[in-house]
Amino acid sequence: MGMTITEKIMAKSSGKKRVEPGESIWLNVDVLMTHDVCGPPTIEIWKREFGDKAKIWDKDKLVIFPDHYIFTKNPQANRNVNILREFASEYNVPNYYDVGTDRYKGVCHIALAEEGYNLPGTVLFGTDSHTCTSGAFGMFSTGVGNTDAAFILGTGKIWEKVPESLKFIFEGNMPEYLTAKDLILMILGDITTDGGTYKALEFDGEAIFSMQMDERMTLTNMAIEAGAMNGIIKADEITEKYVRERTDKPYEIFESDPDAKYRETYRYQVNKIEPLVAKPHSPDNRDTVRNVAGRKLTKCYIGSCTGGKLTDFYNAAKIIFGNEVKVPTFVVPGSTYVARQLEVETINGITLKEIFEKAGCVVAQSSCAACLGGPVDTVGRATDGEVVISTTNRNFPGRMGSKKSEVYLASPLTVAASAITGFITDPREFL
Amino acid sequence: MEKIIKGRAFVLGDNIDTDQIIPAEHLVYSLSDPEEAKNYGRFALSGVPLNQSGLPKGGIPFVEENQYLTKYQIIIGGSNFGCGSSREHAPFALQVAGAKAIVAESYARIFYRNCVDGGFVVPYETLEKLNDKIETGDQLELDLNENILRNLSKNETYKLRPLGDILPIIEAGNIFEYARQNNMI
């Protein structure tokens, strides 16, 4: 019996020839990533448990991106960034990307890709559930809590149960009105928020391999919304080109064997999928945009690790171009690189940033911002009674700041179309 | 560790995500300073819409306003308990509030690991749906030797899935104690 790509990477990382789903193994971690919300408690646990012997297992493999609560006056949030800063200085952590300096990058999952930490065949753990995003690079990546991260910080190892795999094959060419966000909302509607629990989601098919990395990352990013351990896409020439433009570190490409075993295989024809939303209050509460069109909105939001990449803004700008938004619309670049590119990339000679600003959008600084609500002074945060449509990843009660608000999740195309009408709107009306 | 956990039930529905367990705006408090960490208890489960909080009636907060401790020691959940983010603040908040165990149909992976590896609360899985059988306030007795939950108020007994692989970690206290006992660190 053959192995899946996830099983092959886990076997290599645990020093075994083969592994079986359900087997508990110890993995050697290639990169540990943390941020300002979970980094400080991780460091505290590491100091408490290892005491005087506390030693970072490999400084080059620790990456710290402050990104969650950055532009806030909240004193405890600022204290957390200070804890990271002092830790990085005391232990000479080379890969610390401090706020308020040229090194500040923005949202960790996007920055991991941009800074060349995502390498095919490697194993990455992070103190954030969306760490699964990196799986777009043909690697194993998953989220853990502070205790597990503290264990990795001291030992470089962690136990994990080998997941069963589910395969999702998308056939055909992506129509202009469809994005990776619609595809993952399709999957979530089919398998629900626990359909992937303790499983690997493997994406395949010509529609996937025609996508650039930004779009592939949207798919793997929301694997956690199905409860999955990881999402994964085999590395190809597009992956290798992206990686080689950023790093010369070694990597190894794995692919699933033809006779690898899947718990289930799902097939989709992309030209049969319509623009989709997840209605309040769950990412699996799928419906077509057509069915909810006309719902009056109070706010639109384009940002986060899911929907704040350059391709997301390019897609939104295509529709917003030459129009004015009818409701407050927030444009929050996922990284400082994306923010800079908004001033470089153009449509008909006009930069994306100008397109958004002329339309009346608020263009904010890069961070996780209102995707997860955050401190009360967070830009774009939802308040009581609001109806929001957003390119982000979760719409559980209160996720964007108020449990008395309603959040619809959708693609950047759908959010842009909705911003210029003030009602949930099918992007096909503008394409 | 306690082998018999006694306490009152607090009943919740399916898909209780980590934003409902501890809303993100509260993730700024220190987890190591005991005085400041009490805030996690104060806001534990404060993100649950009130009509779904304390089933079947609803309208019951897990922790009363301006209090730091709950009256309920055993949380009864449905499927996919703890879905959403990786924040370990979630099981920590439940522990700080005074909860000892969760009994739910199923758990999200990261939350489950956090409960066990951090030694915060004992996460038991049920063999049948229990959040429509048990009522908030019922007097319960969780027996870790027998893997059963006794409902003293209703005079019922429910079988639970044995803790299996994770029992040694729970018995040790957390992943670090387990690793020390096994000469791994």
Side-chain angles (χ1 to χ4, degrees):
Chain A
M1 181 60 74
M3 286 197 286
T4 66
I5 179 170
T6 297
E7 289 156 14
K8 286 184 181 179
I9 296 169
M10 290 180 105
K12 181 195 171 204
S13 173
S14 61
K16 289 167 179 266
K17 272 218 164 77
R18 63 175 296 126
V19 294
E20 303 281 348
E23 187 180 342
S24 286
I25 54 171
W26 285 86
L27 296 173
N28 289 300
V29 177
D30 294 303
V31 169
L32 172 67
M33 186 280 299
T34 190
H35 52 53
D36 56 300
V37 169
C38 295
T42 296
I43 293 163
E44 279 169 0
I45 295 167
W46 171 75
K47 284 184 177 169
R48 183 188 76 205
E49 296 294 338
F50 291 99
D52 297 338
K53 290 186 294 184
K55 186 175 169 291
I56 301 171
W57 100 100
D58 188 335
K59 281 181 191 176
D60 291 329
K61 294 180 175 178
L62 174 64
V63 187
I64 307 177
F65 295 109
D67 61 355
H68 275 58
Y69 303 156
I70 303 307
F71 305 107
T72 171
K73 292 195 172 71
N74 183 296
Q76 286 120 341
N78 292 330
R79 181 187 59 189
N80 277 337
V81 176
N82 277 332
I83 292 171
L84 294 182
R85 188 175 292 138
E86 283 163 18
F87 171 78
S89 154
E90 184 182 348
Y91 292 89
N92 295 312
V93 177
N95 307 317
Y96 173 60
Y97 295 91
D98 203 2
V99 182
T101 73
D102 291 347
R103 284 175 65 76
Y104 177 63
K105 298 297 174 200
V107 182
C108 56
H109 312 296
I110 299 179
L112 279 169
E114 289 171 354
E115 297 304 307
Y117 293 107
N118 289 349
L119 295 165
T122 59
V123 168
L124 184 151
F125 279 76
T127 61
D128 191 289
S129 61
H130 290 109
T131 304
C132 51
T133 311
S134 297
F137 289 78
M139 58 194 285
F140 177 83
S141 64
T142 191
V144 285
N146 311 329
T147 298
D148 285 344
F151 196 94
I152 296 170
L153 188 57
T155 66
K157 294 182 196 305
I158 193 69
W159 71 270
E160 193 56 87
K161 201 181 266 191
V162 180
E164 289 183 304
S165 291
L166 304 178
K167 192 173 201 170
F168 298 89
I169 303 169
F170 288 93
E171 290 164 344
N173 296 315
M174 288 289 278
E176 191 192 11
Y177 51 81
L178 219 57
T179 71
K181 182 64 169 282
D182 300 291
L183 305 192
I184 190 69
L185 292 178
M186 185 73 196
I187 290 174
L188 286 164
D190 284 350
I191 71 171
T192 77
T193 54
D194 62 357
T197 300
Y198 256 104
K199 295 186 180 70
L201 310 190
E202 187 175 324
F203 303 95
D204 201 354
E206 59 177 318
I208 305 300
F209 291 105
S210 69
M211 291 176 182
Q212 295 299 309
M213 295 315 295
D214 273 5
E215 283 284 271
R216 297 184 192 187
M217 286 164 70
T218 301
L219 286 166
T220 50
N221 171 275
M222 286 185 70
I224 183 64
E225 267 47 83
M229 182 185 295
N230 66 314
I232 198 158
I233 299 170
K234 180 188 74 172
D236 64 359
E237 314 81 65
I238 291 173
T239 322
E240 288 197 82
K241 180 167 183 292
Y242 185 104
V243 170
R244 275 294 162 249
E245 284 170 356
R246 287 160 177 83
T247 179
D248 54 10
K249 287 182 202 155
Y251 58 81
E252 187 177 356
I253 292 180
F254 291 90
E255 55 186 300
S256 297
D257 292 323
D259 60 344
K261 197 174 163 194
Y262 295 90
R263 171 71 180 259
E264 202 102 44
T265 298
Y266 299 79
R267 280 178 192 277
Y268 300 92
Q269 298 291 335
V270 288
N271 60 8
K272 295 208 173 114
I273 300 175
E274 291 193 51
L276 298 170
V277 292
K279 296 183 288 189
H281 294 282
S282 184
D284 63 2
N285 194 12
R286 180 188 73 202
D287 207 338
T288 59
V289 175
R290 215 157 33 94
N291 277 346
V292 294
R295 179 84 173 94
K296 195 167 172 19
L297 299 164
T298 63
K299 189 177 276 176
C300 296
Y301 189 95
I302 309 171
S304 83
C305 53
T306 314
K309 295 172 263 81
L310 191 57
T311 304
D312 300 311
F313 292 113
Y314 189 85
N315 280 332
K318 271 196 306 199
I319 286 184
I320 287 182
F321 187 92
N323 291 292
E324 282 182 19
V325 296
K326 297 288 190 303
V327 287
T329 298
F330 295 85
V331 168
V332 188
S335 70
T336 51
Y337 169 78
V338 172
R340 285 194 302 276
Q341 289 308 110
L342 292 186
E343 300 183 53
V344 174
E345 293 286 327
T346 59
I347 294 176
N348 294 344
I350 304 178
T351 68
L352 303 187
K353 190 175 181 190
E354 278 178 274
I355 293 168
F356 290 125
E357 284 178 343
K358 277 189 182 156
C361 302
V362 176
V363 181
Q365 291 169 286
S366 303
S367 83
C368 301
C371 171
L372 77 164
V376 288
D377 56 354
T378 301
V379 64
R381 196 173 188 272
T383 54
D384 290 0
E386 284 211 283
V387 183
V388 183
I389 192 162
S390 175
T391 65
T392 53
N393 42 61
R394 287 188 186 129
N395 59 346
F396 294 122
R399 168 71 178 183
M400 290 188 76
S402 165
K403 59 182 174 182
K404 292 177 181 157
S405 66
E406 292 185 13
V407 177
Y408 289 79
L409 305 177
S411 78
L413 294 172
T414 301
V415 174
S418 305
I420 58 182
T421 64
F423 299 90
I424 294 181
T425 301
D426 194 313
R428 286 173 289 190
E429 291 183 25
F430 292 93
L431 289 167
Chain B
M1 66 178 285
E2 293 173 78
K3 286 289 193 178
I4 305 278
I5 296 171
K6 293 181 182 181
R8 291 192 184 279
F10 190 79
V11 182
L12 293 164
D14 295 337
N15 298 312
I16 297 296
D17 78 288
T18 55
D19 277 285
Q20 295 183 67
I21 299 172
I22 183 76
E25 66 190 279
H26 301 304
L27 302 180
V28 296
Y29 312 121
S30 166
L31 289 91
S32 56
D33 176 78
E35 206 45 44
E36 196 176 320
K38 278 163 66 181
N39 285 302
Y40 287 106
R42 181 179 176 188
F43 296 111
L45 289 171
S46 66
V48 179
L50 199 56
N51 63 352
Q52 293 154 49
S53 180
L55 298 176
K57 282 194 198 117
I60 306 168
F62 181 61
V63 179
E64 299 276 354
E65 206 167 317
N66 296 320
Q67 296 295 303
Y68 295 87
L69 289 173
T70 182
K71 296 181 214 156
Y72 308 96
Q73 292 72 36
I74 299 174
I75 295 165
I76 307 295
S79 61
N80 204 23
F81 196 96
C83 57
S85 87
S86 68
R87 65 190 70 160
E88 194 164 301
H89 312 64
F92 178 77
L94 298 177
Q95 183 194 41
V96 172
K100 304 269 189 219
I102 308 170
V103 178
E105 274 174 274
S106 63
Y107 295 87
R109 166 185 160 266
I110 307 176
F111 179 85
Y112 184 77
R113 284 185 75 111
N114 288 346
C115 287
V116 174
D117 285 358
F120 301 110
V121 284
V122 180
Y124 256 108
E125 286 180 320
T126 62
L127 297 171
E128 53 179 329
K129 190 171 169 61
L130 289 184
N131 61 346
D132 58 356
K133 294 193 171 64
I134 300 171
E135 293 183 50
T136 295
D138 282 358
Q139 195 69 43
L140 304 179
E141 203 174 86
L142 180 62
D143 187 332
L144 275 69
N145 294 312
E146 305 286 332
N147 297 310
I148 54 173
L149 180 67
R150 296 185 195 92
N151 187 335
L152 306 179
S153 302
K154 294 196 163 41
N155 204 17
E156 290 175 339
T157 299
Y158 321 104
K159 272 193 189 160
L160 305 175
R161 194 183 300 280
L163 293 166
D165 283 357
I166 63 157
L167 183 62
I169 302 175
I170 291 177
E171 284 180 332
N174 62 41
I175 184 80
F176 289 98
E177 286 306 323
Y178 172 80
R180 272 189 282 271
Q181 287 173 11
N182 290 279
N183 300 316
M184 293 162 67
I185 55 172

